[in-house]
Amino acid sequence: MSDKLRFHYEVSGEDFTRAGEASSDLKAKLKLMGASPEVVRKVAICMYEGEINMVIHACGGVIDVTISPADILLELKDVGPGIPDIEKAMQEGYSTASENIRSLGFGAGMGLSNMKKYSDEMKIDTVLGVGTTVTMRINM
Amino acid sequence: MKTYKLFENLGYEILNKGEDRLVSGVYCCDLLSVAMSKGKENAAWVTVMSNVNTVAVCTLVDMSCIVLADGSSVDEAMLEKAKEHNVCVMRSKLPVFETAKEIFDTLNLFGDRLEEYCD
Ligand SMILES: Nc1ncnc2c1ncn2[C@@H]1O[C@H](COP(=O)(O)OP(=O)(O)OP(=O)(O)O)[C@@H](O)[C@H]1O
Ligand SMILES: [Mg+2]
């Protein structure tokens, strides 16, 4: 028997009112499992920023979560436009969000740096016109 | 202090009653990804950003309630989401700083542990 738990989420790229639901669901699950508040907070931040990026920059995607005794792995995959310059995108304050998206409170250009800061390991695989996969590991 | 006592004292308009939670500080910010990283557990979150994502961020970082400043308008979707997640949403007529200050003063008056943070 495997000691890993897996969860799969489909993130809609159209429905803004549902953005963040996958993150809320995972957070509730982790709390129930008795993960430490610090781990719960780190996962919530990483997952939410990734989920929102999928919605506002890439028309949605899928998230796979693997929970093991040692760590939590978040894999966010989209088939959006890709990121032309990762280094630039990682900079605090850099954002290509539209006026419309900014008026909703997004677009500070902090999402990716939050993900980097609150995960123990982060990797971005992106191909222009094909999509982006962001993988993050958070230690228990 | 708890959320219900807070709005009772300050006469805020209740948009969604939600859970009566401990309030131990004030946090102010309108940029969601900044609030996501800096918002503190059990803080009353004072903001003019009122939409479904405000509720999502509030629950994800465990802030105790949302206080919409400046009489910000709300939409149905936000209230639906607040109901669903049992989040207390209130509204103040004052601007962000004045609202945060009066919450801060009220908490102090009641001698609660307080961490004040404003970005
Ligand atoms: N999944 C993605 N697909 C395509 N581009 C992306 C994706 N994620 C991020 N980006 C690009 O990287 C930029 C920086 O992302 P980041 O999350 O740091 O900021 P933001 O989403 O623009 O604003 P914030 O997260 O502060 O609300 C985005 O503006 C966008 O151009
Ligand atoms: Mg972002």
Side-chain angles (χ1 to χ4, degrees):
Chain A
M1 214 176 74
S2 152
D3 55 357
K4 288 190 161 83
L5 269 175
R6 292 193 167 81
F7 300 108
H8 179 78
Y9 298 95
E10 309 265 336
V11 179
S12 157
E14 275 128 51
D15 194 353
F16 259 97
T17 63
R18 295 192 48 206
E21 276 186 8
S23 307
S24 298
D25 183 81
L26 180 64
K27 185 190 168 187
K29 286 191 164 92
L30 286 172
K31 265 179 131 170
L32 277 178
M33 285 173 209
S36 78
E38 202 204 329
V39 167
V40 173
R41 180 182 168 90
K42 285 165 80 178
V43 171
I45 293 174
C46 293
M47 175 101 159
Y48 181 74
E49 294 291 3
E51 183 183 356
I52 290 297
N53 278 356
M54 283 178 135
V55 176
I56 65 181
H57 304 299
C59 323
V62 294
I63 305 177
D64 284 287
V65 181
T66 310
I67 303 176
S68 65
D71 55 27
I72 297 165
L73 208 70
L74 308 174
E75 193 186 33
L76 301 93
K77 195 175 278 186
D78 68 58
V79 287
I83 305 174
D85 186 341
I86 294 182
E87 209 176 301
K88 209 164 161 187
M90 288 296 304
Q91 280 170 17
E92 288 188 4
Y94 177 82
S95 174
T96 59
S98 65
E99 246 342 283
N100 204 13
I101 297 290
R102 282 171 202 263
S103 71
L104 293 171
F106 301 114
M110 294 294 293
L112 288 173
S113 40
N114 280 350
M115 287 151 78
K116 174 100 193 150
K117 182 168 156 199
Y118 290 99
S119 64
D120 292 290
E121 198 184 314
M122 173 178 166
K123 193 166 117 240
I124 303 177
D125 291 303
T126 188
V127 179
L128 284 188
V130 177
T132 302
T133 300
V134 181
T135 315
M136 288 170 280
R137 189 172 52 77
I138 292 106
N139 293 334
M140 282 291 189
Chain B
M1 174 169 298
K2 294 276 204 95
T3 41
Y4 294 178
K5 197 159 167 203
L6 186 70
F7 55 63
E8 204 175 277
N9 273 289
L10 294 171
Y12 290 159
E13 181 187 352
I14 309 312
L15 301 172
N16 186 59
K17 210 164 174 195
E19 190 188 348
D20 192 15
R21 286 189 46 165
L22 173 78
V23 181
S24 64
V26 196
Y27 177 76
C28 310
C29 187
D30 298 321
L31 294 169
L32 298 177
S33 57
V34 177
M36 194 67 209
S37 137
K38 303 272 173 65
K40 290 260 171 70
E41 196 180 343
N42 295 329
W45 181 15
V46 183
T47 178
V48 294
M49 190 52 68
S50 56
N51 61 56
V52 285
N53 308 299
T54 317
V55 179
V57 170
C58 180
T59 59
L60 284 167
V61 297
D62 265 326
M63 289 190 273
S64 48
C65 58
I66 298 169
V67 183
L68 297 174
D70 246 339
S72 302
S73 58
V74 280
D75 56 15
E76 251 335 285
M78 177 178 179
L79 292 182
E80 282 284 309
K81 191 100 170 173
K83 257 189 215 114
E84 185 192 328
H85 289 277
N86 212 14
V87 173
C88 172
V89 182
M90 32 191 150
R91 178 156 59 193
S92 146
K93 290 195 179 68
L94 297 174
V96 172
F97 175 78
E98 283 85 343
T99 301
K101 170 136 194 336
E102 74 180 3
I103 295 174
F104 181 88
D105 291 345
T106 308
L107 293 176
N108 263 349
L109 197 68
F110 285 81
D112 283 63
R113 177 177 72 89
L114 197 72
E115 304 153 44
E116 214 261 350
Y117 15 76
C118 258
D119 275 306

